[in-house]
Structure formats: C-alpha cells, structure tokens
Amino acid sequence: MTEGDARQEVSPFGLTRRAFVGAGLAAAALRGIPGWAQDGELTARVGAAATEAVPEDYLGLSYETMQLADPDFFAPDNASLIAIFKTLSPRGILRIGGNSSEFCWWKASGNETAPRSPAHKGDSNWMPHTFTAIGPQAVDNLAGFLEAAGWRAIYGLNLGTGTPERAAREAAYVAKALGPRLQFFQIGNEPEFYKNANNGLRGPDWDFDRYLAQWLSFAHAVIAQVPGARFGGPDVGSNTEWVVRFAAEAPRRLPGRIVACTGHYYAEGPPDDPRVTVARLLGPDPRVDRDVPRMAAAARQAGIEWRMTEGNSCYRGGKPGMSNAFCAALWAADYLLKLAADGAAGVNLHGGGTKQIRASLGGHLPGEKLSAKAAMEAQEGSFYTPVAGSREHGFTARPVFYGMKLAGVVAGGRMRTVTPGVDAARATAYAADFANGGTRMVVINKDQEMPLDVAVKANGVARVWRLEAPSLTAISDVTLAGARLEAAPWKPLRVEHLAAEMGVLRIRLKPASAAAVLLETRLS
C-alpha cells in the first residue's frame, strides 16, 4: 500500500519519523538513508475486529528444578521474592523445569538413593553432570510461595534419567501439595536433544515416536497416582515439528488430559559468539514468523493452548551487556506482544541465580568469561534472569523484567491486528481491546537515533506510561512510568495525560524507548 493510499483510507494508526533538517542529514541522505528516515509519513493498519484473547496470567517466569534444592527460596516467608513476583503480575505462571530437571530426583525419605548416572561425561556437554535431590519440604514451601504470590505452577518431571514409578510418586506429592495452584505437569525437557550426539540421554535411534511412547508410559503412571492429572508437552528446544506432532497425536492417545503444547525459544546465542549483538537481537527473526503460526494453529486444531515455557534473549545464561541491558527490555516487550498477537497462552522467560544456571549447563556460564566486569555482574544472577539477587540481599528487577511488565498491559484483553508501515527492526506496535470499552496500545521504538511520532485516530483522552533508559546498553536507571519496579503494589510515578485533537491523538517516542498508551475509548 502506498503512502497516498493510506491517507485516503484514513488509517487509525500512524507512525511517523521526521528528519531534522541540516547539512549533516542532507549529506547522510546522499549516502543512502532510507526514505522513512527523511521528511515523510508511514502508516500502520489496525484491524477492525479483536482477535486473540490474552489470558490474565499471560506473564510467567521459568526456573531450574534444581532451585528447589534450596527449600527456602520458593518459600512463603521469602517476602522480597514474593513482592517482585506480584509486581510482575498478580496472576502469573511459574514454570519449574530446564536442563536440571533431567538430573533432579524425588527423594521422599532419607534412605533413598540417586538414579544411576547416564553414560555421558566431559566438559563439552552442556548438561548437569551430577544429580540433585528434591524433597517434600521444597514442594510444601513452593505451595506456600504460590499461594502468597497468587501464582500457579507448571511442574516438570524427569524423563531423561527418571522412571515412571519415581515420576508418579513425585507427581502425587506435588499435586496434593499444590492443589489448584498446579496448572499442569510436563514430562521431560528439550527431548529432541536426547540423542547421544547432543546430551547422551538416549541412543542414535531416538526420534519422536520413541519419545511419545516413553512419554505416555510416564503419563499413565502419573495418572494412576493422580487421577486428575493434566499435561503439556513436548517442551522442545527448537523442533517445531515435534510440537505439531504432539498436538496432533498426544490428545488422541491420552484423551482429556492434554491441555497445552509447549516449546522453547532463545533469540540469540551462544553468548561468546561475536555475531550475537544488540542490533541483531532487536532485528526481526524469521524463525518466529515461520514457526509460531504453525504451533499456534496446531494447538487450536487440537483444542488446547500453546505456551512458550522457556526462553530468553540469549541461551546459555545470556550475554553480558545485552541480556542484562535495556535492549533486552525492548526485545522482551516486542517478543511477548508478538506472541500474544499470534495466539500464545503465555510466555515464561527463564532465569535464576548464577550457581543454578551454571550447574544446569554442566559447570559452564560462558558470558562470565567475556570480561572482568561480566564476572562481577554474574555474582548478582545469570545475565538473562529477569529477577536478580538473593534471599539474603533482596531481589531486584533486571531490564528484561521491565519489558515483560510493559507487555503485560494487554493481559485480559483481546489483540487487534496491527501492521506497521515501519521496518520492524526499528519500530513495532500492538493493540488490545478491553471489556470496559478501552484500548491499550504498546509502541516500541528500537532505533537508537531517530524519534518516533505516533498519530492515533481516537477520541477522548489517554494515559501514557513510558519505558525509558539512558541507552540501549544501560543496565541501571531503567524506569516504567518514571518508577522502578521494586515493590508491590507497583505505582506509576509519571503518567502523561493526552487529549485527542480533531479525532487524532499524537505522541512522540524518544529514540530507544517504548510506551503504553491507555485509551479510555476503543479505537474505531
């Protein structure tokens, strides 16, 4: 659609970039600055009807199972951690799983012994090399933590080195302790990587058919102990085909028990690859455009939900100066909103302490070796973790947490299709309608140098919350609506009130920033 066509249609949503006139810009234009960066207007279309519903518990966090080895972490008296969970969402989803879930075992009493160690060994393997016992006290405390935070949990069981019998005993205790706070069980973590060429948990003939057969044997054992058990899977690392097949085949094999198909997504990695940069993180990822619609469609056809249960900006603990910086906030807001628009039921970004993430990666945390500064930063938590800190010193929100909070403004609404006329590597926009008649929009300006002018065809007034930081690589001084996300209940300190003039609401975003625009009336 040409610019002229857009103006004739009077698009309800306009994104404008205006150049600053001067000799320097004129010279830059001669060097090939694209047309949108010169004096002109680009538009975005907003669909007329609301589409995907966004659950109120859309936001979630993911932690390694081995975190439960410290029963005092997820505990009802860990007030600082409970407060920051509440700040993110009053009704979130905590996922327990990760690499370490395949090396954690249920120790119901003191005389039980650990499972037999798998054949694989060596520093080159990115899996835990030792087993971790999880006991009843940790699960009891987890139940109290969830109750205090108002969250629910997805609980992962050990398929890699476990047995159906042990998984069933653990599931029975978890189900009784968590009660309605248990959303569903997962069995296994990234099972497509079990082949001995990857992590050595299965032989070279391992494929989806063998996986599903073993998965079903575990599920049947769990159901025998937990008659009301519900499941999600396959919790793959990257294999979209396994998600599609699981959605098509597992519900037929286990009627009424499968409630979700699940997978993981890491935008970049590994952290010590020089090609992993801020610019690439903020650019479009063709994998998302290709794979997400397939998985969402498979879930809809099966009558179940699709959820991204683990992921972040960069795998293997994150990259310092990127995963723990403001650029990760803009990435997270954009990614979570894109998934909401595509029909995801929720997103769990992975994190946790450096000790736990390093151990879950077989003793590796490559990001901390990149510099002396990075090694010091790692003492506060893994680089990609949304929540850093410890029970002893308190917990704080990392920049990526701010992006999640911004995306959460659409929770409880219904997404409307937004097609920006701006390069998605530089700016994106999303909108959701609410039952009270209002519309909430999020606009993200990923450009480090150019401001973004937004024109919305609307009536009435709107509140604006800005997500800002000194730069894309800033690690501190990040604010949302002028406030730090440090305590519950969070309250915005700086709210702009804008009134539409002649049916148009206008707002300008600074370079490298984002904003939530909360309209009292619905877009036409």
Side-chain angles (χ1 to χ4, degrees):
M1 182 176 68
T2 67
E3 182 182 17
D5 292 335
R7 287 174 175 165
Q8 291 171 9
E9 291 187 12
V10 194
S11 174
F13 198 90
L15 302 182
T16 307
R17 292 191 181 273
R18 300 203 177 277
F20 296 97
V21 178
L25 182 61
L30 293 175
R31 292 195 299 269
I33 292 289
W36 60 260
Q38 302 170 38
D39 192 16
E41 182 171 281
L42 294 169
T43 61
R45 287 182 172 178
V46 178
T51 55
E52 303 292 346
V54 186
E56 292 185 356
D57 57 5
Y58 183 77
L59 297 181
L61 297 170
S62 170
Y63 280 77
E64 291 290 331
T65 300
M66 70 179 304
Q67 185 67 66
L68 296 179
D70 176 8
D72 293 328
F73 189 81
F74 291 121
D77 61 350
N78 192 348
S80 178
L81 188 60
I82 290 169
I84 205 164
F85 270 55
K86 285 184 173 181
T87 295
L88 182 61
S89 173
R91 296 180 59 186
I93 302 294
L94 171 63
R95 177 258 188 175
I96 301 293
N99 274 4
S100 66
S101 67
E102 306 290 28
F103 289 80
C104 289
W105 62 287
W106 180 244
K107 188 176 182 180
S109 62
N111 59 359
E112 295 188 54
T113 59
R116 184 168 57 90
S117 178
H120 82 269
K121 292 290 182 182
D123 290 340
S124 62
N125 192 282
W126 294 90
M127 288 290 284
H129 296 165
T130 58
F131 284 96
T132 300
I134 305 298
Q137 186 62 54
V139 175
D140 291 341
N141 285 356
L142 173 63
F145 177 91
L146 294 170
E147 187 68 28
W151 283 42
R152 293 187 295 160
I154 298 168
Y155 194 94
L157 299 170
N158 180 349
L159 176 67
T161 62
T163 65
E165 295 74 22
R166 196 188 294 270
R169 290 197 299 271
E170 181 176 7
Y173 196 96
V174 169
K176 183 178 179 180
L178 270 56
R181 295 289 175 185
L182 175 64
Q183 189 172 19
F184 58 81
F185 289 110
Q186 290 184 314
I187 303 172
N189 178 79
E190 300 186 351
E192 82 270 43
F193 297 149
Y194 281 8
K195 283 187 178 181
N196 32 357
N198 292 292
N199 62 35
L201 294 177
R202 297 293 186 274
D205 59 349
W206 181 251
D207 58 13
F208 179 82
D209 292 326
R210 288 175 172 79
Y211 154 76
L212 185 59
Q214 290 190 16
W215 188 95
L216 287 168
S217 69
F218 275 65
H220 283 299
V222 170
I223 292 169
Q225 296 291 323
V226 186
R230 306 192 309 167
F231 302 92
D235 215 37
V236 295
S238 62
N239 195 317
T240 303
E241 193 60 36
W242 279 40
V243 177
V244 173
R245 288 194 62 184
F246 185 90
E249 300 179 33
R252 289 192 292 102
R253 304 284 295 276
L254 208 62
R257 299 288 184 171
I258 311 299
V259 296
C261 58
T262 61
H264 300 174
Y265 170 80
Y266 287 88
E268 295 292 339
D272 46 0
D273 185 338
R275 295 172 296 177
V276 175
T277 63
V278 170
R280 200 167 80 165
L281 174 67
L282 294 179
D285 187 341
R287 295 177 300 165
V288 176
D289 295 330
R290 179 193 68 208
D291 296 339
V292 168
R294 286 192 66 207
M295 292 185 286
R300 279 193 295 269
Q301 187 172 358
I304 60 178
E305 66 181 34
W306 174 72
R307 188 176 188 96
M308 199 283 285
T309 48
E310 181 189 318
N312 215 305
S313 59
C314 178
Y315 61 79
R316 293 181 184 169
K319 181 164 186 170
M322 184 185 82
S323 299
N324 59 345
F326 183 62
C327 57
L330 299 183
W331 166 81
D334 189 27
Y335 177 63
L336 267 63
L337 287 163
K338 180 172 178 56
L339 263 61
D342 285 338
V347 178
N348 297 77
L349 292 191
H350 200 55
T354 294
K355 174 184 176 182
Q356 287 76 23
I357 298 300
R358 187 193 295 118
S360 74
L361 296 170
H364 308 273
L365 192 69
E368 66 183 337
K369 299 178 182 179
L370 295 180
S371 69
K373 180 182 178 182
M376 293 183 61
E377 292 172 349
Q379 297 176 19
E380 300 177 359
S382 54
F383 299 108
Y384 58 24
T385 186
V387 178
S390 64
R391 177 159 182 159
E392 294 72 25
H393 299 100
F395 296 90
T396 58
R398 286 271 182 82
V400 68
F401 186 99
Y402 285 74
M404 298 179 71
K405 180 70 174 180
L406 180 67
V409 301
V410 304
R414 296 188 71 89
M415 300 298 289
R416 291 176 68 173
T417 303
V418 180
T419 309
V422 178
D423 181 357
R426 302 183 182 275
T428 51
Y430 303 88
D433 288 343
F434 283 77
N436 64 2
T439 295
R440 297 180 182 180
M441 297 187 303
V442 175
V443 187
I444 304 168
N445 183 9
K446 295 181 270 185
D447 195 290
Q448 298 186 68
E449 299 177 356
M450 298 294 295
L452 176 68
D453 289 325
V454 181
V456 184
K457 184 183 177 184
N459 295 304
V461 296
R463 291 170 293 142
V464 178
W465 297 348
R466 294 185 183 271
L467 177 62
E468 298 177 315
S471 69
L472 283 174
T473 55
I475 294 175
S476 58
D477 298 324
V478 180
T479 59
L480 177 61
R484 300 289 299 273
L485 298 176
E486 293 180 339
W490 172 78
K491 294 181 180 180
L493 294 181
R494 188 168 62 244
V495 180
E496 299 172 44
H497 296 271
L498 301 178
E501 297 181 4
M502 299 182 66
V504 178
L505 188 73
R506 299 184 184 278
I507 178 176
R508 166 168 281 206
L509 269 67
K510 298 176 182 178
S513 71
V517 183
L518 314 178
L519 295 109
E520 293 182 355
T521 56
R522 188 164 295 173
L523 289 177
S524 57

